[in-house]
Amino acid sequence: MGFLTGKKALIVGIANNKSIAYGIAKQMVAQGAELALTFQSDKLQGRVEKIAEELGCKMVLPLDVTSEYQIQDVFTALDSAWDGLDILVHSVAFAPREELEGRMIESSTREGFAMAHDISAYSLTALTKAGHKMLAKANGAVLTLSYLGAERAVPNYNVMGIAKASLEATVRYLAADLGQDNIRVNAVSAGPIRTLAAAGIKDFRSMLDKAAKATPLRRNVTIEEVGNTAAFLCSDLASGITGEITYVDGGYNITASA
Ligand SMILES: NC(=O)c1ccc[n+]([C@@H]2O[C@H](COP(=O)([O-])OP(=O)(O)OC[C@H]3O[C@@H](n4cnc5c(N)ncnc54)[C@H](O)[C@@H]3O)[C@@H](O)[C@H]2O)c1
């Protein structure tokens, strides 16, 4: 019996089997969780449905986090199927590609800033708000994904770093507010991993190589390692932890080169 046996989890952010959210979903299923998955657009539907089949997941719902209607529809569907929601995983980020390269002073725009913050940071509040009642029923746990660029100026990360800083602050504010409802809110700050979203960052390959060389563990981390920590943080084993940003980066953040 796994440590998530009997837990119901909504996983938002699977695009394919390289996604961090896929690593999380897999490790949660391995620990006994039952899942509902979402897909951002028709283009991704087939791939996410295949993954759902592989993971024995019956509920697959459309969700673009910029749409309040779709957010409501997801929780209406969950509410009619489940008594409560034990786990909400938010593994979503987006910024226009042109803003993830070069000098920030040149690439930043008001529209890009608004979009990056809406999709990558506010959506955590939007989902938690819509799921509040179901999460409260289950003493639920919320988990999001961040990156070191929230705290340090990482080349090319630009507006996404600022959105991640907002996301990490959101984790603390939501945790402070929702503790009274026995809902915990945490983030994993992952080291660089080759995914679809990461491919949008200029020179991502050199970020990966640099991190692998400078990391205490001398290698990059995997989506399974992120998934294991996410599973732990969303389980009763972590019942005393909320408002935290936990690094799964092989120790890179502690080094002088980070
Ligand atoms: N890959 C890395 O190096 C790395 C490191 C640290 C943190 N992260 C974070 O992990 C999270 C997941 O990213 P990933 O690397 O697995 O890439 P990914 O491309 O596999 O996942 C990003 C997901 O965001 C979804 N998304 C984007 N806009 C959306 C919208 N409007 N509505 C709904 N969904 C939307 C995409 O459909 C996709 O499923 C992101 O928050 C990312 O910033 C990634």
mmCIF file of all heavy atoms in Angstrom, residues 12-16 18-21 39-41 44 63-66 90-94 119-120 144-148 157 160 164 167 188-198 204, ligand 1:
data_model
loop_
_atom_site.group_PDB
_atom_site.id
_atom_site.type_symbol
_atom_site.label_atom_id
_atom_site.label_comp_id
_atom_site.label_asym_id
_atom_site.label_seq_id
_atom_site.Cartn_x
_atom_site.Cartn_y
_atom_site.Cartn_z
ATOM 1 N N VAL A 12 -2.598 19.324 -13.191
ATOM 2 C CA VAL A 12 -2.719 20.283 -14.296
ATOM 3 C C VAL A 12 -1.319 20.567 -14.846
ATOM 4 O O VAL A 12 -0.439 20.995 -14.089
ATOM 5 C CB VAL A 12 -3.365 21.602 -13.797
ATOM 6 C CG1 VAL A 12 -3.499 22.602 -14.941
ATOM 7 C CG2 VAL A 12 -4.727 21.326 -13.168
ATOM 8 N N GLY A 13 -1.116 20.300 -16.144
ATOM 9 C CA GLY A 13 0.181 20.658 -16.732
ATOM 10 C C GLY A 13 0.896 19.553 -17.470
ATOM 11 O O GLY A 13 2.086 19.671 -17.758
ATOM 12 N N ILE A 14 0.169 18.469 -17.818
ATOM 13 C CA ILE A 14 0.822 17.443 -18.645
ATOM 14 C C ILE A 14 0.661 17.828 -20.120
ATOM 15 O O ILE A 14 -0.457 18.044 -20.598
ATOM 16 C CB ILE A 14 0.218 16.038 -18.413
ATOM 17 C CG1 ILE A 14 0.484 15.580 -16.965
ATOM 18 C CG2 ILE A 14 0.810 15.027 -19.410
ATOM 19 C CD1 ILE A 14 -0.007 14.177 -16.647
ATOM 20 N N ALA A 15 1.799 17.926 -20.822
ATOM 21 C CA ALA A 15 1.764 18.132 -22.272
ATOM 22 C C ALA A 15 2.183 16.841 -22.975
ATOM 23 O O ALA A 15 1.649 16.480 -24.008
ATOM 24 C CB ALA A 15 2.690 19.276 -22.673
ATOM 25 N N ASN A 16 3.157 16.140 -22.381
ATOM 26 C CA ASN A 16 3.652 14.878 -22.956
ATOM 27 C C ASN A 16 4.400 14.096 -21.874
ATOM 28 O O ASN A 16 4.377 14.499 -20.700
ATOM 29 C CB ASN A 16 4.561 15.161 -24.170
ATOM 30 C CG ASN A 16 5.711 16.084 -23.797
ATOM 31 O OD1 ASN A 16 6.208 16.055 -22.664
ATOM 32 N ND2 ASN A 16 6.149 16.907 -24.724
ATOM 33 N N LYS A 18 7.413 13.935 -21.250
ATOM 34 C CA LYS A 18 8.616 14.609 -20.739
ATOM 35 C C LYS A 18 8.228 15.645 -19.673
ATOM 36 O O LYS A 18 9.080 16.202 -18.991
ATOM 37 C CB LYS A 18 9.334 15.359 -21.873
ATOM 38 C CG LYS A 18 9.703 14.519 -23.072
ATOM 39 C CD LYS A 18 11.093 13.939 -22.875
ATOM 40 C CE LYS A 18 11.601 13.218 -24.078
ATOM 41 N NZ LYS A 18 10.985 11.903 -24.283
ATOM 42 N N SER A 19 6.944 15.959 -19.578
ATOM 43 C CA SER A 19 6.472 16.989 -18.646
ATOM 44 C C SER A 19 6.776 16.620 -17.200
ATOM 45 O O SER A 19 6.625 15.454 -16.804
ATOM 46 C CB SER A 19 4.944 17.153 -18.756
ATOM 47 O OG SER A 19 4.564 17.655 -20.006
ATOM 48 N N ILE A 20 7.133 17.641 -16.416
ATOM 49 C CA ILE A 20 7.334 17.409 -14.978
ATOM 50 C C ILE A 20 6.033 16.872 -14.364
ATOM 51 O O ILE A 20 6.056 15.970 -13.522
ATOM 52 C CB ILE A 20 7.797 18.709 -14.292
ATOM 53 C CG1 ILE A 20 9.222 19.059 -14.761
ATOM 54 C CG2 ILE A 20 7.755 18.564 -12.772
ATOM 55 C CD1 ILE A 20 9.778 20.361 -14.232
ATOM 56 N N ALA A 21 4.899 17.401 -14.837
ATOM 57 C CA ALA A 21 3.604 16.936 -14.302
ATOM 58 C C ALA A 21 3.389 15.447 -14.571
ATOM 59 O O ALA A 21 2.725 14.761 -13.790
ATOM 60 C CB ALA A 21 2.466 17.756 -14.903
ATOM 61 N N PHE A 39 -5.950 18.838 -20.121
ATOM 62 C CA PHE A 39 -5.129 19.185 -21.295
ATOM 63 C C PHE A 39 -5.466 20.617 -21.683
ATOM 64 O O PHE A 39 -6.618 21.051 -21.605
ATOM 65 C CB PHE A 39 -5.383 18.206 -22.445
ATOM 66 C CG PHE A 39 -6.820 18.092 -22.865
ATOM 67 C CD1 PHE A 39 -7.350 18.917 -23.848
ATOM 68 C CD2 PHE A 39 -7.658 17.172 -22.243
ATOM 69 C CE1 PHE A 39 -8.676 18.814 -24.224
ATOM 70 C CE2 PHE A 39 -9.004 17.067 -22.610
ATOM 71 C CZ PHE A 39 -9.513 17.891 -23.603
ATOM 72 N N GLN A 40 -4.415 21.345 -22.110
ATOM 73 C CA GLN A 40 -4.586 22.776 -22.386
ATOM 74 C C GLN A 40 -5.404 23.054 -23.641
ATOM 75 O O GLN A 40 -6.181 24.003 -23.684
ATOM 76 C CB GLN A 40 -3.200 23.434 -22.523
ATOM 77 C CG GLN A 40 -3.265 24.927 -22.772
ATOM 78 C CD GLN A 40 -1.940 25.493 -23.238
ATOM 79 O OE1 GLN A 40 -0.907 24.819 -23.184
ATOM 80 N NE2 GLN A 40 -1.950 26.736 -23.678
ATOM 81 N N SER A 41 -5.180 22.228 -24.694
ATOM 82 C CA SER A 41 -5.817 22.524 -25.976
ATOM 83 C C SER A 41 -6.096 21.226 -26.722
ATOM 84 O O SER A 41 -5.543 20.170 -26.376
ATOM 85 C CB SER A 41 -4.881 23.386 -26.820
ATOM 86 O OG SER A 41 -3.686 22.658 -27.050
ATOM 87 N N LEU A 44 -3.283 18.943 -27.639
ATOM 88 C CA LEU A 44 -2.650 18.070 -26.635
ATOM 89 C C LEU A 44 -3.574 16.959 -26.144
ATOM 90 O O LEU A 44 -3.135 16.051 -25.428
ATOM 91 C CB LEU A 44 -2.173 18.911 -25.440
ATOM 92 C CG LEU A 44 -1.090 19.958 -25.729
ATOM 93 C CD1 LEU A 44 -0.776 20.777 -24.491
ATOM 94 C CD2 LEU A 44 0.187 19.284 -26.232
ATOM 95 N N LEU A 63 -8.691 22.216 -20.028
ATOM 96 C CA LEU A 63 -8.469 23.353 -19.120
ATOM 97 C C LEU A 63 -7.383 24.282 -19.637
ATOM 98 O O LEU A 63 -6.193 23.947 -19.629
ATOM 99 C CB LEU A 63 -8.069 22.856 -17.716
ATOM 100 C CG LEU A 63 -7.734 23.962 -16.700
ATOM 101 C CD1 LEU A 63 -8.903 24.914 -16.485
ATOM 102 C CD2 LEU A 63 -7.302 23.366 -15.359
ATOM 103 N N ASP A 64 -7.830 25.457 -20.066
ATOM 104 C CA ASP A 64 -6.899 26.559 -20.301
ATOM 105 C C ASP A 64 -7.046 27.453 -19.078
ATOM 106 O O ASP A 64 -8.147 27.955 -18.800
ATOM 107 C CB ASP A 64 -7.280 27.307 -21.592
ATOM 108 C CG ASP A 64 -6.293 28.423 -21.901
ATOM 109 O OD1 ASP A 64 -5.875 29.128 -20.956
ATOM 110 O OD2 ASP A 64 -5.943 28.593 -23.079
ATOM 111 N N VAL A 65 -5.967 27.666 -18.336
ATOM 112 C CA VAL A 65 -6.096 28.353 -17.043
ATOM 113 C C VAL A 65 -6.436 29.842 -17.173
ATOM 114 O O VAL A 65 -6.696 30.506 -16.175
ATOM 115 C CB VAL A 65 -4.835 28.181 -16.159
ATOM 116 C CG1 VAL A 65 -4.623 26.732 -15.768
ATOM 117 C CG2 VAL A 65 -3.585 28.770 -16.820
ATOM 118 N N THR A 66 -6.435 30.357 -18.405
ATOM 119 C CA THR A 66 -6.856 31.760 -18.569
ATOM 120 C C THR A 66 -8.392 31.856 -18.642
ATOM 121 O O THR A 66 -8.932 32.955 -18.655
ATOM 122 C CB THR A 66 -6.255 32.397 -19.851
ATOM 123 O OG1 THR A 66 -6.716 31.660 -20.989
ATOM 124 C CG2 THR A 66 -4.734 32.390 -19.811
ATOM 125 N N HIS A 90 -0.249 22.075 -9.695
ATOM 126 C CA HIS A 90 -0.228 23.160 -10.692
ATOM 127 C C HIS A 90 1.174 23.167 -11.296
ATOM 128 O O HIS A 90 2.146 23.501 -10.619
ATOM 129 C CB HIS A 90 -0.527 24.474 -9.961
ATOM 130 C CG HIS A 90 -0.306 25.718 -10.764
ATOM 131 N ND1 HIS A 90 0.927 26.330 -10.872
ATOM 132 C CD2 HIS A 90 -1.161 26.481 -11.480
ATOM 133 C CE1 HIS A 90 0.812 27.415 -11.617
ATOM 134 N NE2 HIS A 90 -0.446 27.526 -11.998
ATOM 135 N N SER A 91 1.270 22.737 -12.563
ATOM 136 C CA SER A 91 2.588 22.620 -13.200
ATOM 137 C C SER A 91 2.518 23.312 -14.558
ATOM 138 O O SER A 91 2.720 22.691 -15.601
ATOM 139 C CB SER A 91 2.949 21.131 -13.325
ATOM 140 O OG SER A 91 4.262 20.984 -13.794
ATOM 141 N N VAL A 92 2.230 24.608 -14.509
ATOM 142 C CA VAL A 92 1.878 25.387 -15.699
ATOM 143 C C VAL A 92 2.692 26.671 -15.730
ATOM 144 O O VAL A 92 2.840 27.337 -14.708
ATOM 145 C CB VAL A 92 0.375 25.755 -15.610
ATOM 146 C CG1 VAL A 92 -0.001 26.766 -16.665
ATOM 147 C CG2 VAL A 92 -0.491 24.515 -15.708
ATOM 148 N N ALA A 93 3.224 26.997 -16.893
ATOM 149 C CA ALA A 93 3.906 28.281 -17.049
ATOM 150 C C ALA A 93 3.936 28.642 -18.526
ATOM 151 O O ALA A 93 3.981 27.762 -19.387
ATOM 152 C CB ALA A 93 5.332 28.212 -16.499
ATOM 153 N N PHE A 94 3.902 29.935 -18.784
ATOM 154 C CA PHE A 94 4.042 30.394 -20.173
ATOM 155 C C PHE A 94 4.475 31.859 -20.207
ATOM 156 O O PHE A 94 4.013 32.676 -19.413
ATOM 157 C CB PHE A 94 2.721 30.259 -20.948
ATOM 158 C CG PHE A 94 2.861 30.717 -22.379
ATOM 159 C CD1 PHE A 94 3.438 29.882 -23.328
ATOM 160 C CD2 PHE A 94 2.474 32.003 -22.761
ATOM 161 C CE1 PHE A 94 3.615 30.312 -24.638
ATOM 162 C CE2 PHE A 94 2.647 32.441 -24.071
ATOM 163 C CZ PHE A 94 3.216 31.597 -25.010
ATOM 164 N N ILE A 119 -0.780 33.467 -16.553
ATOM 165 C CA ILE A 119 -0.724 32.006 -16.763
ATOM 166 C C ILE A 119 0.170 31.306 -15.734
ATOM 167 O O ILE A 119 -0.160 30.233 -15.240
ATOM 168 C CB ILE A 119 -0.242 31.682 -18.200
ATOM 169 C CG1 ILE A 119 -1.249 32.230 -19.215
ATOM 170 C CG2 ILE A 119 -0.033 30.170 -18.392
ATOM 171 C CD1 ILE A 119 -0.845 32.072 -20.666
ATOM 172 N N SER A 120 1.286 31.936 -15.380
ATOM 173 C CA SER A 120 2.285 31.226 -14.568
ATOM 174 C C SER A 120 2.124 31.451 -13.064
ATOM 175 O O SER A 120 2.604 30.646 -12.279
ATOM 176 C CB SER A 120 3.694 31.666 -14.975
ATOM 177 O OG SER A 120 3.813 31.746 -16.373
ATOM 178 N N THR A 144 2.894 23.565 -6.435
ATOM 179 C CA THR A 144 3.243 24.180 -7.710
ATOM 180 C C THR A 144 4.731 24.002 -7.988
ATOM 181 O O THR A 144 5.481 23.523 -7.141
ATOM 182 C CB THR A 144 2.834 25.671 -7.728
ATOM 183 O OG1 THR A 144 3.025 26.190 -9.045
ATOM 184 C CG2 THR A 144 3.658 26.507 -6.757
ATOM 185 N N LEU A 145 5.145 24.403 -9.201
ATOM 186 C CA LEU A 145 6.534 24.220 -9.639
ATOM 187 C C LEU A 145 7.200 25.570 -9.862
ATOM 188 O O LEU A 145 6.659 26.404 -10.598
ATOM 189 C CB LEU A 145 6.556 23.442 -10.956
ATOM 190 C CG LEU A 145 6.571 21.916 -10.876
ATOM 191 C CD1 LEU A 145 7.806 21.421 -10.110
ATOM 192 C CD2 LEU A 145 5.335 21.351 -10.232
ATOM 193 N N SER A 146 8.356 25.746 -9.231
ATOM 194 C CA SER A 146 9.084 26.993 -9.427
ATOM 195 C C SER A 146 10.496 26.698 -9.917
ATOM 196 O O SER A 146 10.850 25.543 -10.186
ATOM 197 C CB SER A 146 9.111 27.795 -8.122
ATOM 198 O OG SER A 146 9.594 29.100 -8.392
ATOM 199 N N TYR A 147 11.267 27.763 -10.038
ATOM 200 C CA TYR A 147 12.650 27.636 -10.526
ATOM 201 C C TYR A 147 13.488 28.718 -9.854
ATOM 202 O O TYR A 147 12.981 29.798 -9.496
ATOM 203 C CB TYR A 147 12.677 27.766 -12.060
ATOM 204 C CG TYR A 147 14.070 27.745 -12.634
ATOM 205 C CD1 TYR A 147 14.875 26.615 -12.480
ATOM 206 C CD2 TYR A 147 14.587 28.850 -13.294
ATOM 207 C CE1 TYR A 147 16.166 26.607 -12.966
ATOM 208 C CE2 TYR A 147 15.879 28.840 -13.786
ATOM 209 C CZ TYR A 147 16.668 27.720 -13.619
ATOM 210 O OH TYR A 147 17.951 27.706 -14.090
ATOM 211 N N LEU A 148 14.783 28.429 -9.733
ATOM 212 C CA LEU A 148 15.733 29.331 -9.077
ATOM 213 C C LEU A 148 15.696 30.772 -9.625
ATOM 214 O O LEU A 148 16.020 31.723 -8.913
ATOM 215 C CB LEU A 148 17.134 28.733 -9.253
ATOM 216 C CG LEU A 148 18.284 29.396 -8.513
ATOM 217 C CD1 LEU A 148 18.081 29.315 -6.997
ATOM 218 C CD2 LEU A 148 19.610 28.756 -8.902
ATOM 219 N N TYR A 157 16.058 34.197 -18.659
ATOM 220 C CA TYR A 157 14.822 33.783 -17.983
ATOM 221 C C TYR A 157 13.869 34.978 -17.817
ATOM 222 O O TYR A 157 12.654 34.823 -17.789
ATOM 223 C CB TYR A 157 15.157 33.129 -16.638
ATOM 224 C CG TYR A 157 14.103 32.171 -16.139
ATOM 225 C CD1 TYR A 157 13.708 31.060 -16.897
ATOM 226 C CD2 TYR A 157 13.499 32.364 -14.899
ATOM 227 C CE1 TYR A 157 12.739 30.185 -16.425
ATOM 228 C CE2 TYR A 157 12.539 31.492 -14.425
ATOM 229 C CZ TYR A 157 12.167 30.405 -15.198
ATOM 230 O OH TYR A 157 11.204 29.537 -14.723
ATOM 231 N N MET A 160 9.972 35.489 -16.906
ATOM 232 C CA MET A 160 9.520 34.279 -16.223
ATOM 233 C C MET A 160 10.056 34.232 -14.794
ATOM 234 O O MET A 160 9.399 33.726 -13.887
ATOM 235 C CB MET A 160 9.946 33.031 -17.021
ATOM 236 C CG MET A 160 9.347 31.745 -16.511
ATOM 237 S SD MET A 160 7.550 31.775 -16.385
ATOM 238 C CE MET A 160 7.142 31.356 -18.051
ATOM 239 N N LYS A 164 7.855 33.842 -11.548
ATOM 240 C CA LYS A 164 8.104 32.782 -10.550
ATOM 241 C C LYS A 164 8.254 33.387 -9.148
ATOM 242 O O LYS A 164 7.877 32.762 -8.150
ATOM 243 C CB LYS A 164 9.352 31.973 -10.909
ATOM 244 C CG LYS A 164 9.189 31.061 -12.109
ATOM 245 C CD LYS A 164 8.139 29.995 -11.906
ATOM 246 C CE LYS A 164 8.159 28.954 -13.008
ATOM 247 N NZ LYS A 164 6.947 28.111 -13.023
ATOM 248 N N LEU A 167 4.876 33.781 -8.091
ATOM 249 C CA LEU A 167 4.310 32.457 -7.767
ATOM 250 C C LEU A 167 4.759 32.013 -6.365
ATOM 251 O O LEU A 167 3.951 31.510 -5.572
ATOM 252 C CB LEU A 167 4.764 31.444 -8.815
ATOM 253 C CG LEU A 167 4.269 30.013 -8.626
ATOM 254 C CD1 LEU A 167 2.776 29.904 -8.915
ATOM 255 C CD2 LEU A 167 5.035 29.043 -9.535
ATOM 256 N N VAL A 188 7.773 23.023 -5.339
ATOM 257 C CA VAL A 188 9.073 22.403 -5.596
ATOM 258 C C VAL A 188 9.800 23.317 -6.561
ATOM 259 O O VAL A 188 9.249 23.704 -7.596
ATOM 260 C CB VAL A 188 8.923 20.998 -6.216
ATOM 261 C CG1 VAL A 188 10.252 20.525 -6.802
ATOM 262 C CG2 VAL A 188 8.425 20.008 -5.178
ATOM 263 N N SER A 189 11.021 23.696 -6.215
ATOM 264 C CA SER A 189 11.866 24.451 -7.144
ATOM 265 C C SER A 189 12.803 23.430 -7.797
ATOM 266 O O SER A 189 13.730 22.915 -7.159
ATOM 267 C CB SER A 189 12.657 25.534 -6.400
ATOM 268 O OG SER A 189 13.423 26.281 -7.323
ATOM 269 N N ALA A 190 12.503 23.124 -9.055
ATOM 270 C CA ALA A 190 13.232 22.049 -9.747
ATOM 271 C C ALA A 190 14.446 22.592 -10.477
ATOM 272 O O ALA A 190 14.437 23.728 -10.964
ATOM 273 C CB ALA A 190 12.292 21.364 -10.738
ATOM 274 N N GLY A 191 15.473 21.763 -10.583
ATOM 275 C CA GLY A 191 16.604 22.093 -11.444
ATOM 276 C C GLY A 191 16.166 21.992 -12.893
ATOM 277 O O GLY A 191 15.070 21.498 -13.180
ATOM 278 N N PRO A 192 17.006 22.463 -13.830
ATOM 279 C CA PRO A 192 16.602 22.422 -15.239
ATOM 280 C C PRO A 192 16.415 20.997 -15.759
ATOM 281 O O PRO A 192 17.216 20.110 -15.470
ATOM 282 C CB PRO A 192 17.762 23.124 -15.962
ATOM 283 C CG PRO A 192 18.897 23.115 -15.021
ATOM 284 C CD PRO A 192 18.331 23.051 -13.634
ATOM 285 N N ILE A 193 15.325 20.820 -16.523
ATOM 286 C CA ILE A 193 14.983 19.516 -17.104
ATOM 287 C C ILE A 193 14.505 19.787 -18.525
ATOM 288 O O ILE A 193 13.748 20.735 -18.749
ATOM 289 C CB ILE A 193 13.836 18.844 -16.300
ATOM 290 C CG1 ILE A 193 14.259 18.605 -14.847
ATOM 291 C CG2 ILE A 193 13.423 17.528 -16.965
ATOM 292 C CD1 ILE A 193 13.145 18.066 -13.950
ATOM 293 N N ARG A 194 14.931 18.952 -19.468
ATOM 294 C CA ARG A 194 14.536 19.173 -20.865
ATOM 295 C C ARG A 194 13.048 18.827 -21.062
ATOM 296 O O ARG A 194 12.650 17.675 -21.022
ATOM 297 C CB ARG A 194 15.388 18.294 -21.780
ATOM 298 C CG ARG A 194 15.381 18.746 -23.230
ATOM 299 C CD ARG A 194 16.070 17.724 -24.089
ATOM 300 N NE ARG A 194 17.399 17.404 -23.595
ATOM 301 C CZ ARG A 194 18.498 18.077 -23.916
ATOM 302 N NH1 ARG A 194 18.435 19.080 -24.732
ATOM 303 N NH2 ARG A 194 19.666 17.729 -23.426
ATOM 304 N N THR A 195 12.231 19.868 -21.247
ATOM 305 C CA THR A 195 10.789 19.688 -21.504
ATOM 306 C C THR A 195 10.386 20.659 -22.611
ATOM 307 O O THR A 195 11.188 21.492 -23.035
ATOM 308 C CB THR A 195 9.954 20.031 -20.250
ATOM 309 O OG1 THR A 195 10.175 21.413 -19.929
ATOM 310 C CG2 THR A 195 10.285 19.175 -19.050
ATOM 311 N N LEU A 196 9.105 20.601 -22.993
ATOM 312 C CA LEU A 196 8.588 21.493 -24.027
ATOM 313 C C LEU A 196 8.731 22.962 -23.597
ATOM 314 O O LEU A 196 9.214 23.807 -24.357
ATOM 315 C CB LEU A 196 7.101 21.165 -24.227
ATOM 316 C CG LEU A 196 6.513 21.270 -25.613
ATOM 317 C CD1 LEU A 196 7.300 20.414 -26.601
ATOM 318 C CD2 LEU A 196 5.052 20.819 -25.572
ATOM 319 N N ALA A 197 8.327 23.260 -22.364
ATOM 320 C CA ALA A 197 8.377 24.646 -21.875
ATOM 321 C C ALA A 197 9.830 25.130 -21.823
ATOM 322 O O ALA A 197 10.131 26.280 -22.185
ATOM 323 C CB ALA A 197 7.736 24.755 -20.495
ATOM 324 N N ALA A 198 10.733 24.257 -21.391
ATOM 325 C CA ALA A 198 12.137 24.656 -21.256
ATOM 326 C C ALA A 198 12.742 24.974 -22.617
ATOM 327 O O ALA A 198 13.628 25.833 -22.727
ATOM 328 C CB ALA A 198 12.928 23.546 -20.568
ATOM 329 N N PHE A 204 18.911 27.023 -23.469
ATOM 330 C CA PHE A 204 18.548 26.135 -22.358
ATOM 331 C C PHE A 204 19.566 25.011 -22.188
ATOM 332 O O PHE A 204 19.906 24.617 -21.074
ATOM 333 C CB PHE A 204 17.144 25.561 -22.566
ATOM 334 C CG PHE A 204 16.732 24.665 -21.436
ATOM 335 C CD1 PHE A 204 16.379 25.203 -20.204
ATOM 336 C CD2 PHE A 204 16.744 23.288 -21.568
ATOM 337 C CE1 PHE A 204 16.035 24.390 -19.137
ATOM 338 C CE2 PHE A 204 16.406 22.459 -20.512
ATOM 339 C CZ PHE A 204 16.046 23.012 -19.298
HETATM 340 N N1 LIG B 1 11.763 22.189 -17.212
HETATM 341 C C1 LIG B 1 12.446 22.876 -16.315
HETATM 342 O O1 LIG B 1 13.669 23.041 -16.415
HETATM 343 C C2 LIG B 1 11.738 23.481 -15.140
HETATM 344 C C3 LIG B 1 12.482 23.805 -13.993
HETATM 345 C C4 LIG B 1 11.826 24.355 -12.901
HETATM 346 C C5 LIG B 1 10.461 24.582 -12.959
HETATM 347 N N2 LIG B 1 9.764 24.254 -14.095
HETATM 348 C C6 LIG B 1 8.319 24.509 -14.120
HETATM 349 O O2 LIG B 1 7.619 23.285 -14.224
HETATM 350 C C7 LIG B 1 6.320 23.550 -14.721
HETATM 351 C C8 LIG B 1 6.009 22.555 -15.822
HETATM 352 O O3 LIG B 1 6.818 22.798 -16.959
HETATM 353 P P1 LIG B 1 7.579 21.654 -17.747
HETATM 354 O O4 LIG B 1 9.007 22.007 -17.743
HETATM 355 O O5 LIG B 1 7.126 20.321 -17.293
HETATM 356 O O6 LIG B 1 7.111 21.896 -19.262
HETATM 357 P P2 LIG B 1 5.831 21.353 -20.073
HETATM 358 O O7 LIG B 1 5.834 22.132 -21.338
HETATM 359 O O8 LIG B 1 5.837 19.903 -20.183
HETATM 360 O O9 LIG B 1 4.615 21.804 -19.143
HETATM 361 C C9 LIG B 1 4.092 23.110 -19.147
HETATM 362 C C10 LIG B 1 2.598 22.948 -19.142
HETATM 363 O O10 LIG B 1 1.970 24.217 -19.036
HETATM 364 C C11 LIG B 1 0.780 24.112 -19.761
HETATM 365 N N3 LIG B 1 0.214 25.427 -20.043
HETATM 366 C C12 LIG B 1 0.808 26.522 -20.587
HETATM 367 N N4 LIG B 1 -0.103 27.517 -20.731
HETATM 368 C C13 LIG B 1 -1.283 27.038 -20.245
HETATM 369 C C14 LIG B 1 -2.602 27.556 -20.139
HETATM 370 N N5 LIG B 1 -2.920 28.787 -20.553
HETATM 371 N N6 LIG B 1 -3.571 26.771 -19.584
HETATM 372 C C15 LIG B 1 -3.290 25.501 -19.161
HETATM 373 N N7 LIG B 1 -2.076 24.956 -19.254
HETATM 374 C C16 LIG B 1 -1.078 25.706 -19.801
HETATM 375 C C17 LIG B 1 1.184 23.362 -21.026
HETATM 376 O O11 LIG B 1 0.064 22.817 -21.709
HETATM 377 C C18 LIG B 1 2.081 22.307 -20.445
HETATM 378 O O12 LIG B 1 1.336 21.148 -20.124
HETATM 379 C C19 LIG B 1 6.331 25.010 -15.171
HETATM 380 O O13 LIG B 1 5.776 25.808 -14.140
HETATM 381 C C20 LIG B 1 7.814 25.308 -15.297
HETATM 382 O O14 LIG B 1 8.108 26.678 -15.167
HETATM 383 C C21 LIG B 1 10.382 23.696 -15.178
#
